[in-house]
Amino acid sequence: MVGRYHSIPPPGAQARLLPRLLPARKGRRLKTADLAGKGGPLREDTAEDHQDQERRRHTARILRGIRLRVLHLALFWTLVSGGLAWLPTLPLPRTTLLALQGLIWLAGCALTLLAGRRMVHDARDHLRTEQILRENEVEFRTTLNATTVGLFRLRNLHFDFVNATLAEMMGYGVEEFLTLSPMDVVVPEQRDMVRQNSIRRAEGEPGYPYQLTFLRKDGGTFIGQVWSKRILFRGKPCTVGSIVDISARIEAEQEMRRMVNALAASNLELERFAYVASHDLQEPLRAITSFSQLLERRLDGRLDAEAAEYLRFIITGGKRMHALVNDLLAFSRVAHKGSPFQLVSCDDSVAMALQTLQDSIRDSHAVITVGRLPMILADAMQIEQLFQHLIGNAIKFGQPGKVPHIRIGADREQDEYHFRIEDDGIGIPPEYHTEIFSVFRRLHKGPAYPGTGVGLAICKRVVERHQGRIWVSAMPAQGSCFHFTLPAPDGATPPC
Protein backbone atom coordinates (compact mmCIF):
# COMPACT_ATOMS: atom_id res chain seq x y z
CA MET A 1 0.00 0.00 0.00
CA VAL A 2 2.75 2.44 0.96
CA GLY A 3 4.84 1.71 -2.09
CA ARG A 4 1.93 2.27 -4.49
CA TYR A 5 0.67 5.56 -3.05
CA HIS A 6 1.52 8.89 -4.84
CA SER A 7 0.98 12.24 -3.18
CA ILE A 8 1.34 13.98 -6.56
CA PRO A 9 0.60 12.61 -10.04
CA PRO A 10 3.32 10.94 -12.08
CA PRO A 11 5.19 13.17 -14.56
CA GLY A 12 2.69 12.70 -17.44
CA ALA A 13 -0.37 13.48 -15.34
CA GLN A 14 1.44 16.27 -13.54
CA ALA A 15 2.14 18.02 -16.86
CA ARG A 16 -1.57 17.89 -17.59
CA LEU A 17 -2.53 19.26 -14.18
CA LEU A 18 0.12 22.01 -14.13
CA PRO A 19 0.51 23.23 -17.74
CA ARG A 20 1.67 26.64 -16.63
CA LEU A 21 3.79 25.60 -13.65
CA LEU A 22 5.96 23.08 -15.51
CA PRO A 23 6.19 24.47 -19.06
CA ALA A 24 9.68 23.04 -19.65
CA ARG A 25 8.21 19.51 -19.75
CA LYS A 26 6.10 20.57 -22.74
CA GLY A 27 9.06 22.06 -24.61
CA ARG A 28 8.07 25.71 -24.27
CA ARG A 29 8.57 28.64 -21.95
CA LEU A 30 5.87 30.15 -19.78
CA LYS A 31 3.88 32.89 -21.51
CA THR A 32 2.19 35.90 -19.96
CA ALA A 33 -1.01 34.95 -21.78
CA ASP A 34 -0.93 31.56 -20.04
CA LEU A 35 -0.63 33.19 -16.65
CA ALA A 36 -3.59 35.43 -17.49
CA GLY A 37 -5.76 32.48 -18.38
CA LYS A 38 -4.93 31.39 -21.96
CA GLY A 39 -4.71 34.95 -23.19
CA GLY A 40 -8.31 35.83 -22.35
CA PRO A 41 -9.41 39.05 -20.66
CA LEU A 42 -8.79 39.45 -16.95
CA ARG A 43 -11.90 38.44 -15.05
CA GLU A 44 -11.51 38.22 -11.27
CA ASP A 45 -7.80 37.53 -10.87
CA THR A 46 -4.53 38.50 -12.47
CA ALA A 47 -1.54 36.52 -13.69
CA GLU A 48 0.15 37.03 -10.33
CA ASP A 49 -2.92 35.74 -8.47
CA HIS A 50 -3.05 32.66 -10.66
CA GLN A 51 0.63 31.92 -10.11
CA ASP A 52 0.33 32.27 -6.33
CA GLN A 53 -2.71 30.00 -6.24
CA GLU A 54 -0.98 27.32 -8.28
CA ARG A 55 2.08 27.50 -6.02
CA ARG A 56 -0.02 27.14 -2.87
CA ARG A 57 -2.01 24.22 -4.29
CA HIS A 58 1.13 22.39 -5.39
CA THR A 59 2.83 22.90 -2.03
CA ALA A 60 -0.27 21.64 -0.22
CA ARG A 61 -0.29 18.48 -2.37
CA ILE A 62 3.37 17.78 -1.56
CA LEU A 63 2.93 18.27 2.19
CA ARG A 64 -0.25 16.21 2.24
CA GLY A 65 1.53 13.35 0.46
CA ILE A 66 4.46 13.41 2.92
CA ARG A 67 2.12 13.39 5.92
CA LEU A 68 0.17 10.46 4.51
CA ARG A 69 3.35 8.48 3.86
CA VAL A 70 4.58 9.10 7.39
CA LEU A 71 1.19 7.99 8.76
CA HIS A 72 1.20 4.87 6.59
CA LEU A 73 4.72 3.98 7.71
CA ALA A 74 3.80 4.42 11.35
CA LEU A 75 0.74 2.20 10.88
CA PHE A 76 2.78 -0.36 8.98
CA TRP A 77 5.47 -0.59 11.67
CA THR A 78 2.81 -0.86 14.32
CA LEU A 79 1.40 -3.86 12.51
CA VAL A 80 4.90 -5.30 12.03
CA SER A 81 5.68 -4.91 15.72
CA GLY A 82 2.42 -6.68 16.64
CA GLY A 83 3.13 -9.43 14.14
CA LEU A 84 6.64 -10.01 15.49
CA ALA A 85 5.28 -10.23 19.01
CA TRP A 86 2.64 -12.73 17.91
CA LEU A 87 4.89 -15.06 15.91
CA PRO A 88 6.48 -16.90 18.89
CA THR A 89 3.05 -18.17 19.89
CA LEU A 90 2.78 -20.18 16.69
CA PRO A 91 3.57 -23.95 16.89
CA LEU A 92 6.47 -23.69 14.42
CA PRO A 93 10.12 -24.71 14.63
CA ARG A 94 12.47 -22.05 15.93
CA THR A 95 14.36 -21.77 12.65
CA THR A 96 11.10 -21.18 10.77
CA LEU A 97 10.06 -18.49 13.23
CA LEU A 98 13.42 -16.74 12.91
CA ALA A 99 13.16 -16.87 9.11
CA LEU A 100 9.66 -15.35 9.17
CA GLN A 101 10.80 -12.57 11.50
CA GLY A 102 13.74 -11.81 9.22
CA LEU A 103 11.51 -11.65 6.15
CA ILE A 104 9.08 -9.31 7.88
CA TRP A 105 11.94 -7.01 8.93
CA LEU A 106 13.44 -7.02 5.44
CA ALA A 107 10.06 -6.25 3.87
CA GLY A 108 9.50 -3.39 6.31
CA CYS A 109 12.94 -1.92 5.64
CA ALA A 110 12.44 -2.18 1.87
CA LEU A 111 9.04 -0.51 1.99
CA THR A 112 10.44 2.19 4.28
CA LEU A 113 13.26 2.86 1.81
CA LEU A 114 10.78 3.03 -1.09
CA ALA A 115 8.56 5.45 0.79
CA GLY A 116 11.52 7.63 1.76
CA ARG A 117 12.75 7.66 -1.80
CA ARG A 118 9.33 8.74 -2.98
CA MET A 119 9.23 11.55 -0.41
CA VAL A 120 12.67 12.75 -1.54
CA HIS A 121 11.48 12.64 -5.16
CA ASP A 122 8.39 14.67 -4.25
CA ALA A 123 10.46 17.24 -2.38
CA ARG A 124 12.91 17.52 -5.28
CA ASP A 125 10.01 17.94 -7.72
CA HIS A 126 8.55 20.63 -5.50
CA LEU A 127 11.86 22.50 -5.42
CA ARG A 128 12.18 22.24 -9.18
CA THR A 129 8.66 23.61 -9.64
CA GLU A 130 9.42 26.48 -7.27
CA GLN A 131 12.56 27.30 -9.25
CA ILE A 132 10.62 27.31 -12.53
CA LEU A 133 8.02 29.61 -11.00
CA ARG A 134 10.69 31.98 -9.71
CA GLU A 135 12.39 32.07 -13.11
CA ASN A 136 9.11 32.72 -14.87
CA GLU A 137 8.23 35.44 -12.37
CA VAL A 138 11.59 37.13 -13.01
CA GLU A 139 11.05 36.83 -16.76
CA PHE A 140 7.51 38.20 -16.46
CA ARG A 141 8.59 41.17 -14.37
CA THR A 142 11.55 41.83 -16.68
CA THR A 143 9.14 41.95 -19.62
CA LEU A 144 6.80 44.32 -17.76
CA ASN A 145 9.69 46.64 -16.97
CA ALA A 146 11.09 46.51 -20.50
CA THR A 147 7.88 47.52 -22.26
CA THR A 148 7.49 51.10 -23.48
CA VAL A 149 4.03 51.30 -21.87
CA GLY A 150 3.68 52.43 -18.27
CA LEU A 151 1.67 49.89 -16.21
CA PHE A 152 0.09 50.43 -12.80
CA ARG A 153 -2.25 48.95 -10.23
CA LEU A 154 -4.33 51.12 -7.89
CA ARG A 155 -5.96 50.21 -4.60
CA ASN A 156 -7.94 52.87 -2.74
CA LEU A 157 -6.52 55.54 -5.08
CA HIS A 158 -2.92 54.66 -4.20
CA PHE A 159 -0.37 52.88 -6.34
CA ASP A 160 0.55 49.41 -5.07
CA PHE A 161 2.32 48.34 -8.29
CA VAL A 162 4.05 50.22 -11.12
CA ASN A 163 6.56 49.00 -13.65
CA ALA A 164 9.94 50.65 -14.13
CA THR A 165 8.78 52.27 -17.38
CA LEU A 166 6.06 54.28 -15.65
CA ALA A 167 8.36 55.29 -12.78
CA GLU A 168 11.01 56.45 -15.26
CA MET A 169 8.34 58.27 -17.30
CA MET A 170 7.42 60.28 -14.19
CA GLY A 171 11.02 60.77 -13.07
CA TYR A 172 10.76 58.67 -9.86
CA GLY A 173 12.21 55.44 -8.58
CA VAL A 174 9.78 52.52 -8.31
CA GLU A 175 9.78 52.45 -4.48
CA GLU A 176 9.35 56.22 -4.30
CA PHE A 177 6.51 56.13 -6.81
CA LEU A 178 4.61 53.57 -4.73
CA THR A 179 4.21 56.18 -1.98
CA LEU A 180 2.21 58.45 -4.31
CA SER A 181 -1.39 58.64 -5.44
CA PRO A 182 -2.75 59.61 -8.87
CA MET A 183 -3.53 63.08 -7.50
CA ASP A 184 0.21 63.65 -6.93
CA VAL A 185 1.13 63.06 -10.59
CA VAL A 186 -1.77 64.82 -12.38
CA VAL A 187 -2.04 68.57 -12.95
CA PRO A 188 -4.48 70.16 -10.43
CA GLU A 189 -7.14 71.11 -12.99
CA GLN A 190 -7.57 67.45 -14.00
CA ARG A 191 -7.70 65.82 -10.57
CA ASP A 192 -11.47 65.98 -10.46
CA MET A 193 -11.52 64.06 -13.75
CA VAL A 194 -9.40 61.34 -12.14
CA ARG A 195 -11.83 61.07 -9.21
CA GLN A 196 -14.84 60.85 -11.53
CA ASN A 197 -13.18 58.17 -13.63
CA SER A 198 -12.33 56.18 -10.50
CA ILE A 199 -15.96 56.36 -9.37
CA ARG A 200 -17.18 55.20 -12.78
CA ARG A 201 -14.73 52.27 -12.78
CA ALA A 202 -15.91 51.29 -9.28
CA GLU A 203 -19.52 51.34 -10.51
CA GLY A 204 -18.64 48.86 -13.22
CA GLU A 205 -18.47 51.18 -16.21
CA PRO A 206 -16.12 49.74 -18.85
CA GLY A 207 -12.80 51.45 -19.36
CA TYR A 208 -12.02 53.65 -22.35
CA PRO A 209 -8.89 55.59 -23.35
CA TYR A 210 -8.65 59.22 -22.27
CA GLN A 211 -5.91 61.83 -22.04
CA LEU A 212 -4.39 63.44 -18.96
CA THR A 213 -1.56 65.89 -18.40
CA PHE A 214 0.92 64.41 -15.91
CA LEU A 215 3.45 66.10 -13.63
CA ARG A 216 7.01 64.84 -13.55
CA LYS A 217 9.13 64.96 -10.43
CA ASP A 218 11.23 67.78 -11.92
CA GLY A 219 8.11 69.91 -12.51
CA GLY A 220 7.80 69.19 -16.21
CA THR A 221 4.63 67.87 -17.80
CA PHE A 222 3.66 65.44 -20.54
CA ILE A 223 0.42 64.27 -22.11
CA GLY A 224 -0.43 60.62 -21.53
CA GLN A 225 -3.16 58.38 -22.88
CA VAL A 226 -4.66 56.36 -20.03
CA TRP A 227 -6.61 53.11 -20.06
CA SER A 228 -7.88 51.49 -16.88
CA LYS A 229 -10.12 48.61 -15.77
CA ARG A 230 -11.60 47.46 -12.47
CA ILE A 231 -10.71 43.88 -11.41
CA LEU A 232 -10.47 41.67 -8.31
CA PHE A 233 -6.89 41.09 -7.16
CA ARG A 234 -6.36 38.53 -4.39
CA GLY A 235 -10.02 38.82 -3.58
CA LYS A 236 -10.04 42.61 -3.26
CA PRO A 237 -11.13 45.21 -5.86
CA CYS A 238 -8.45 47.28 -7.54
CA THR A 239 -7.80 49.12 -10.81
CA VAL A 240 -5.19 48.12 -13.36
CA GLY A 241 -4.23 50.26 -16.33
CA SER A 242 -1.62 51.65 -18.67
CA ILE A 243 -0.19 55.07 -19.55
CA VAL A 244 1.43 55.92 -22.88
CA ASP A 245 3.36 59.16 -23.38
CA ILE A 246 1.79 60.74 -26.49
CA SER A 247 3.36 64.20 -26.14
CA ALA A 248 5.50 63.73 -29.26
CA ARG A 249 2.49 62.51 -31.23
CA ILE A 250 0.34 65.45 -30.08
CA GLU A 251 3.10 67.90 -30.95
CA ALA A 252 3.54 66.30 -34.39
CA GLU A 253 -0.21 66.46 -35.02
CA GLN A 254 -0.32 70.12 -34.01
CA GLU A 255 2.64 70.92 -36.24
CA MET A 256 1.02 69.07 -39.12
CA ARG A 257 -2.23 71.00 -38.60
CA ARG A 258 -0.27 74.27 -38.59
CA MET A 259 1.46 73.31 -41.83
CA VAL A 260 -1.80 72.20 -43.45
CA ASN A 261 -3.50 75.45 -42.45
CA ALA A 262 -0.55 77.49 -43.70
CA LEU A 263 -0.53 75.56 -46.97
CA ALA A 264 -4.30 75.99 -47.37
CA ALA A 265 -3.97 79.73 -46.75
CA SER A 266 -1.10 79.95 -49.24
CA ASN A 267 -3.05 78.02 -51.87
CA LEU A 268 -6.06 80.25 -51.30
CA GLU A 269 -3.96 83.36 -51.79
CA LEU A 270 -2.42 81.91 -54.93
CA GLU A 271 -5.85 81.03 -56.31
CA ARG A 272 -7.13 84.51 -55.53
CA PHE A 273 -4.08 86.03 -57.19
CA ALA A 274 -4.55 83.84 -60.28
CA TYR A 275 -8.21 84.81 -60.47
CA VAL A 276 -7.57 88.53 -60.05
CA ALA A 277 -4.55 88.52 -62.37
CA SER A 278 -6.34 86.60 -65.12
CA HIS A 279 -9.41 88.81 -64.77
CA ASP A 280 -7.38 92.04 -64.88
CA LEU A 281 -5.27 90.84 -67.83
CA GLN A 282 -8.26 90.28 -70.06
CA GLU A 283 -8.88 93.94 -70.86
CA PRO A 284 -5.30 94.89 -71.93
CA LEU A 285 -4.98 91.67 -73.93
CA ARG A 286 -8.26 92.36 -75.66
CA ALA A 287 -7.02 95.87 -76.48
CA ILE A 288 -3.72 94.57 -77.86
CA THR A 289 -5.43 91.99 -80.05
CA SER A 290 -8.17 94.36 -81.25
CA PHE A 291 -5.85 97.24 -82.16
CA SER A 292 -3.37 94.88 -83.82
CA GLN A 293 -6.15 93.50 -86.01
CA LEU A 294 -7.36 97.08 -86.78
CA LEU A 295 -3.81 98.07 -87.72
CA GLU A 296 -3.51 95.00 -89.96
CA ARG A 297 -6.70 95.94 -91.84
CA ARG A 298 -5.73 99.64 -92.27
CA LEU A 299 -2.23 98.90 -93.45
CA ASP A 300 -3.19 96.01 -95.65
CA GLY A 301 -0.93 96.09 -98.69
CA ARG A 302 1.15 98.99 -97.37
CA LEU A 303 3.50 96.89 -95.20
CA ASP A 304 6.39 94.89 -96.48
CA ALA A 305 6.32 91.12 -95.99
CA GLU A 306 8.51 91.17 -92.89
CA ALA A 307 6.43 93.84 -91.11
CA ALA A 308 3.19 92.03 -92.02
CA GLU A 309 4.60 88.80 -90.58
CA TYR A 310 5.59 90.56 -87.35
CA LEU A 311 2.07 91.97 -87.05
CA ARG A 312 0.58 88.50 -87.52
CA PHE A 313 2.87 87.21 -84.74
CA ILE A 314 1.51 89.92 -82.44
CA ILE A 315 -2.10 89.04 -83.25
CA THR A 316 -1.51 85.27 -82.91
CA GLY A 317 0.37 85.71 -79.63
CA GLY A 318 -2.34 88.00 -78.28
CA LYS A 319 -5.06 85.51 -79.16
CA ARG A 320 -3.13 82.65 -77.53
CA MET A 321 -2.47 84.75 -74.44
CA HIS A 322 -6.15 85.67 -74.32
CA ALA A 323 -7.07 81.95 -74.48
CA LEU A 324 -4.58 81.14 -71.70
CA VAL A 325 -5.99 83.87 -69.47
CA ASN A 326 -9.55 82.72 -70.12
CA ASP A 327 -8.67 79.10 -69.26
CA LEU A 328 -6.76 80.18 -66.16
CA LEU A 329 -9.77 82.24 -65.11
CA ALA A 330 -12.02 79.20 -65.67
CA PHE A 331 -9.63 77.07 -63.60
CA SER A 332 -9.78 79.56 -60.70
CA ARG A 333 -13.55 79.88 -60.91
CA VAL A 334 -14.01 76.17 -60.14
CA ALA A 335 -13.09 76.85 -56.50
CA HIS A 336 -14.20 80.49 -56.12
CA LYS A 337 -17.26 80.86 -58.31
CA GLY A 338 -18.95 77.50 -57.94
CA SER A 339 -22.73 77.28 -57.51
CA PRO A 340 -24.49 75.38 -54.69
CA PHE A 341 -25.07 71.69 -55.38
CA GLN A 342 -28.46 70.55 -56.61
CA LEU A 343 -29.93 67.51 -58.34
CA VAL A 344 -28.55 67.50 -61.88
CA SER A 345 -29.45 65.25 -64.80
CA CYS A 346 -26.24 64.07 -66.44
CA ASP A 347 -28.26 63.36 -69.60
CA ASP A 348 -29.07 67.08 -69.79
CA SER A 349 -25.46 68.06 -69.03
CA VAL A 350 -24.14 65.88 -71.87
CA ALA A 351 -26.80 67.24 -74.23
CA MET A 352 -25.75 70.83 -73.44
CA ALA A 353 -22.07 69.94 -73.92
CA LEU A 354 -22.82 68.33 -77.31
CA GLN A 355 -24.73 71.41 -78.38
CA THR A 356 -21.72 73.59 -77.52
CA LEU A 357 -19.44 71.23 -79.49
CA GLN A 358 -21.75 70.89 -82.50
CA ASP A 359 -19.30 72.62 -84.88
CA SER A 360 -16.47 70.25 -83.93
CA ILE A 361 -18.81 67.25 -84.17
CA ARG A 362 -20.00 68.33 -87.62
CA ASP A 363 -16.49 68.96 -88.93
CA SER A 364 -15.10 65.63 -87.66
CA HIS A 365 -18.28 63.60 -88.42
CA ALA A 366 -17.87 62.13 -84.92
CA VAL A 367 -20.22 59.31 -83.88
CA ILE A 368 -21.15 59.70 -80.20
CA THR A 369 -23.09 57.04 -78.30
CA VAL A 370 -24.55 58.10 -74.98
CA GLY A 371 -25.94 55.56 -72.50
CA ARG A 372 -28.50 56.28 -69.80
CA LEU A 373 -26.87 58.57 -67.25
CA PRO A 374 -27.89 59.15 -63.61
CA MET A 375 -29.09 62.06 -61.53
CA ILE A 376 -26.38 63.44 -59.23
CA LEU A 377 -26.03 66.15 -56.61
CA ALA A 378 -23.67 68.64 -58.24
CA ASP A 379 -22.92 72.07 -59.70
CA ALA A 380 -24.76 71.93 -63.05
CA MET A 381 -22.45 74.38 -64.87
CA GLN A 382 -19.31 72.58 -63.75
CA ILE A 383 -20.63 69.12 -64.71
CA GLU A 384 -21.48 70.47 -68.18
CA GLN A 385 -17.98 71.95 -68.35
CA LEU A 386 -16.50 68.56 -67.33
CA PHE A 387 -18.29 66.68 -70.11
CA GLN A 388 -17.49 69.42 -72.64
CA HIS A 389 -13.73 69.20 -72.00
CA LEU A 390 -13.60 65.39 -72.05
CA ILE A 391 -15.79 64.99 -75.16
CA GLY A 392 -13.95 67.86 -76.90
CA ASN A 393 -10.61 66.15 -76.24
CA ALA A 394 -11.95 62.85 -77.59
CA ILE A 395 -12.91 64.61 -80.82
CA LYS A 396 -9.73 66.70 -81.09
CA PHE A 397 -7.33 63.78 -80.52
CA GLY A 398 -8.94 61.39 -83.01
CA GLN A 399 -6.76 59.46 -85.43
CA PRO A 400 -6.12 61.39 -88.69
CA GLY A 401 -8.38 60.38 -91.55
CA LYS A 402 -10.65 58.30 -89.30
CA VAL A 403 -14.14 59.12 -88.03
CA PRO A 404 -14.04 59.36 -84.19
CA HIS A 405 -16.30 56.98 -82.28
CA ILE A 406 -17.03 58.06 -78.71
CA ARG A 407 -19.00 56.13 -76.06
CA ILE A 408 -20.32 57.71 -72.87
CA GLY A 409 -21.78 55.65 -70.00
CA ALA A 410 -22.01 55.22 -66.23
CA ASP A 411 -22.48 52.39 -63.72
CA ARG A 412 -23.49 52.39 -60.05
CA GLU A 413 -20.70 51.10 -57.78
CA GLN A 414 -21.77 51.03 -54.12
CA ASP A 415 -22.26 54.69 -53.07
CA GLU A 416 -20.89 56.34 -56.22
CA TYR A 417 -21.28 56.44 -59.99
CA HIS A 418 -18.42 55.42 -62.27
CA PHE A 419 -18.48 57.41 -65.54
CA ARG A 420 -16.55 56.42 -68.68
CA ILE A 421 -15.82 58.45 -71.84
CA GLU A 422 -14.12 56.14 -74.31
CA ASP A 423 -12.69 56.98 -77.75
CA ASP A 424 -10.67 55.33 -80.52
CA GLY A 425 -8.18 58.18 -80.94
CA ILE A 426 -4.39 58.44 -80.82
CA GLY A 427 -4.16 57.34 -77.16
CA ILE A 428 -1.79 58.45 -74.41
CA PRO A 429 1.54 56.83 -73.36
CA PRO A 430 1.31 55.30 -69.85
CA GLU A 431 4.08 57.53 -68.45
CA TYR A 432 1.85 60.59 -68.98
CA HIS A 433 -1.37 59.23 -67.42
CA THR A 434 -0.90 61.34 -64.29
CA GLU A 435 1.00 64.26 -65.77
CA ILE A 436 -1.75 65.25 -68.23
CA PHE A 437 -3.95 66.50 -65.34
CA SER A 438 -1.42 69.24 -64.46
CA VAL A 439 -2.02 72.88 -65.41
CA PHE A 440 -0.56 73.96 -68.78
CA ARG A 441 0.69 70.43 -69.54
CA ARG A 442 0.42 69.64 -73.24
CA LEU A 443 1.66 66.42 -74.87
CA HIS A 444 1.03 67.63 -78.43
CA LYS A 445 2.11 71.12 -79.46
CA GLY A 446 1.52 72.89 -82.73
CA PRO A 447 -1.44 73.82 -84.92
CA ALA A 448 -2.58 70.19 -85.36
CA TYR A 449 -3.78 70.00 -81.75
CA PRO A 450 -4.55 73.52 -80.49
CA GLY A 451 -5.14 74.19 -76.81
CA THR A 452 -3.70 75.66 -73.62
CA GLY A 453 -3.20 72.55 -71.49
CA VAL A 454 -5.71 73.65 -68.85
CA GLY A 455 -8.75 71.57 -69.82
CA LEU A 456 -7.88 68.34 -67.99
CA ALA A 457 -6.69 70.33 -64.95
CA ILE A 458 -10.15 71.94 -64.84
CA CYS A 459 -11.73 68.46 -65.11
CA LYS A 460 -9.68 67.22 -62.19
CA ARG A 461 -10.56 70.22 -60.04
CA VAL A 462 -14.29 69.86 -60.84
CA VAL A 463 -14.27 66.15 -59.94
CA GLU A 464 -12.33 66.73 -56.72
CA ARG A 465 -14.70 69.53 -55.70
CA HIS A 466 -17.49 66.94 -56.01
CA GLN A 467 -15.54 64.44 -53.82
CA GLY A 468 -14.72 62.17 -56.75
CA ARG A 469 -11.68 60.75 -58.54
CA ILE A 470 -10.52 60.99 -62.16
CA TRP A 471 -8.01 58.88 -64.10
CA VAL A 472 -7.29 57.58 -67.59
CA SER A 473 -6.56 54.20 -69.11
CA ALA A 474 -4.99 54.46 -72.56
CA MET A 475 -2.30 53.15 -74.88
CA PRO A 476 -0.75 54.86 -77.91
CA ALA A 477 -2.83 54.36 -81.13
CA GLN A 478 -5.40 52.30 -79.19
CA GLY A 479 -7.69 55.05 -77.94
CA SER A 480 -8.30 56.40 -74.45
CA CYS A 481 -10.89 55.90 -71.74
CA PHE A 482 -11.31 58.66 -69.18
CA HIS A 483 -12.87 57.51 -65.91
CA PHE A 484 -14.27 59.62 -63.10
CA THR A 485 -16.46 58.95 -60.09
CA LEU A 486 -19.11 61.13 -58.47
CA PRO A 487 -21.03 60.40 -55.25
CA ALA A 488 -24.51 59.00 -55.66
CA PRO A 489 -27.18 61.02 -53.82
CA ASP A 490 -29.32 59.19 -51.25
CA GLY A 491 -32.17 57.37 -52.92
CA ALA A 492 -30.72 57.88 -56.42
CA THR A 493 -31.77 55.41 -59.09
CA PRO A 494 -28.91 53.68 -60.93
CA PRO A 495 -28.70 54.27 -64.68
CA CYS A 496 -30.42 51.71 -66.88
Side-chain angles (χ1 to χ4, degrees):
M1 179 178 178
V2 175
R4 293 193 302 271
Y5 182 82
H6 298 283
S7 66
I8 60 175
Q14 189 180 54
R16 290 192 299 272
L17 288 173
L18 301 175
R20 288 180 291 279
L21 289 178
L22 298 175
R25 297 187 178 185
K26 300 181 77 173
R28 65 182 181 90
R29 299 186 65 80
L30 188 65
K31 296 181 179 179
T32 305
D34 294 330
L35 292 174
K38 297 183 179 180
L42 291 174
R43 294 182 297 275
E44 293 190 352
D45 57 359
T46 63
E48 190 175 346
D49 280 334
H50 189 79
Q51 197 172 19
D52 289 343
Q53 292 169 7
E54 291 284 4
R55 182 188 288 113
R56 287 194 295 269
R57 282 197 292 269
H58 187 59
T59 302
R61 281 195 294 270
I62 296 295
L63 295 177
R64 185 167 59 252
I66 292 175
R67 285 196 297 269
L68 285 174
R69 285 197 181 91
V70 172
L71 179 62
H72 292 164
L73 285 175
L75 179 60
F76 175 77
W77 279 111
T78 300
L79 294 174
V80 168
S81 299
L84 292 176
W86 175 69
L87 277 177
T89 62
L90 296 177
L92 294 175
R94 181 176 178 78
T95 55
T96 301
L97 292 175
L98 292 175
L100 287 174
Q101 289 177 342
L103 288 174
I104 292 173
W105 275 102
L106 287 175
C109 291
L111 291 176
T112 301
L113 289 174
L114 288 174
R117 181 181 177 184
R118 191 63 200 179
M119 284 189 287
V120 171
H121 173 77
D122 290 348
R124 187 184 299 116
D125 188 74
H126 176 64
L127 292 175
R128 185 167 61 251
T129 301
E130 286 289 331
Q131 182 180 0
I132 292 173
L133 286 172
R134 284 193 295 271
E135 291 174 355
N136 285 325
E137 184 175 356
V138 170
E139 180 181 353
F140 182 64
R141 290 188 177 276
T142 301
T143 302
L144 289 182
N145 290 328
T147 181
T148 58
V149 177
L151 303 174
F152 65 87
R153 185 173 63 231
L154 287 174
R155 198 189 299 275
N156 298 325
L157 276 182
H158 280 82
F159 294 104
D160 70 344
F161 165 79
V162 295
N163 66 344
T165 303
L166 181 57
E168 183 179 354
M169 196 183 296
M170 300 287 186
Y172 294 90
V174 173
E175 296 300 327
E176 184 181 10
F177 198 88
L178 292 177
T179 64
L180 304 175
S181 74
M183 305 304 171
D184 299 322
V185 294
V186 176
V187 293
E189 54 269 24
Q190 293 185 344
R191 288 172 184 171
D192 186 61
M193 183 191 303
V194 174
R195 293 189 188 93
Q196 295 300 322
N197 284 332
S198 299
I199 293 173
R200 287 195 290 268
R201 294 298 88 74
E203 292 174 349
E205 183 178 316
Y208 58 89
Y210 57 96
Q211 294 179 8
L212 290 174
T213 302
F214 291 94
L215 288 170
R216 291 192 175 95
K217 184 179 180 180
D218 60 5
T221 61
F222 71 92
I223 300 174
Q225 181 167 293
V226 185
W227 177 89
S228 62
K229 182 179 180 180
R230 192 76 166 175
I231 66 167
L232 287 178
F233 178 71
R234 293 178 178 171
K236 297 181 180 180
C238 68
T239 301
V240 295
S242 62
I243 299 175
V244 180
D245 186 351
I246 59 172
S247 299
R249 190 187 80 188
I250 295 294
E251 184 177 350
E253 291 175 352
Q254 292 174 347
E255 180 63 23
M256 184 176 66
R257 280 194 293 269
R258 285 194 294 268
M259 293 177 65
V260 168
N261 292 336
L263 182 61
S266 176
N267 287 339
L268 183 61
E269 289 299 321
L270 286 174
E271 290 175 354
R272 287 176 178 170
F273 172 77
Y275 178 77
V276 171
S278 57
H279 183 272
D280 292 347
L281 283 173
Q282 281 188 316
E283 187 60 32
L285 281 173
R286 189 180 298 112
I288 292 173
T289 304
S290 299
F291 281 103
S292 296
Q293 291 173 333
L294 180 61
L295 186 62
E296 183 184 33
R297 286 195 299 270
R298 288 196 174 185
L299 298 179
D300 185 24
R302 298 164 57 184
L303 296 174
D304 58 28
E306 187 176 10
E309 184 178 7
Y310 290 161
L311 189 56
R312 283 194 298 272
F313 284 158
I314 294 173
I315 295 172
T316 302
K319 289 181 178 179
R320 175 165 171 75
M321 189 64 182
H322 186 67
L324 284 171
V325 169
N326 281 338
D327 285 347
L328 183 59
L329 188 59
F331 180 77
S332 300
R333 280 174 175 164
V334 173
H336 294 286
K337 295 295 182 179
S339 301
F341 287 5
Q342 59 185 355
L343 276 178
V344 174
S345 169
C346 291
D347 288 321
D348 294 342
S349 297
V350 170
M352 295 294 292
L354 294 178
Q355 184 177 356
T356 305
L357 295 168
Q358 59 182 343
D359 292 341
S360 298
I361 296 173
R362 183 179 60 251
D363 294 342
S364 64
H365 305 287
V367 178
I368 302 176
T369 304
V370 182
R372 179 72 182 276
L373 300 177
M375 299 283 291
I376 60 173
L377 196 64
D379 182 330
M381 292 296 296
Q382 291 185 355
I383 295 300
E384 180 184 336
Q385 188 179 29
L386 171 65
F387 281 114
Q388 181 179 331
H389 280 296
L390 293 178
I391 298 171
N393 280 352
I395 296 172
K396 180 168 62 175
F397 294 102
Q399 296 194 29
K402 183 178 178 181
V403 173
H405 287 77
I406 303 167
R407 292 169 295 279
I408 304 170
D411 297 305
R412 178 73 178 260
E413 294 180 357
Q414 297 182 356
D415 58 349
E416 64 183 13
Y417 287 114
H418 180 182
F419 292 82
R420 298 175 182 84
I421 299 179
E422 188 176 0
D423 63 60
D424 57 355
I426 62 176
I428 302 170
E431 60 268 25
Y432 298 112
H433 285 184
T434 302
E435 189 176 346
I436 59 174
F437 294 101
S438 301
V439 181
F440 301 131
R441 185 65 177 94
R442 299 181 62 201
L443 299 185
H444 307 280
K445 299 181 180 180
Y449 299 104
T452 60
V454 181
L456 288 178
I458 292 175
C459 292
K460 181 180 179 183
R461 176 162 284 200
V462 168
V463 171
E464 289 178 346
R465 184 187 174 221
H466 289 76
Q467 306 300 315
R469 297 169 290 117
I470 186 170
W471 70 98
V472 63
S473 56
M475 292 295 292
Q478 297 181 19
S480 304
C481 183
F482 280 84
H483 308 257
F484 63 91
T485 63
L486 295 175
D490 294 338
T493 304
C496 299

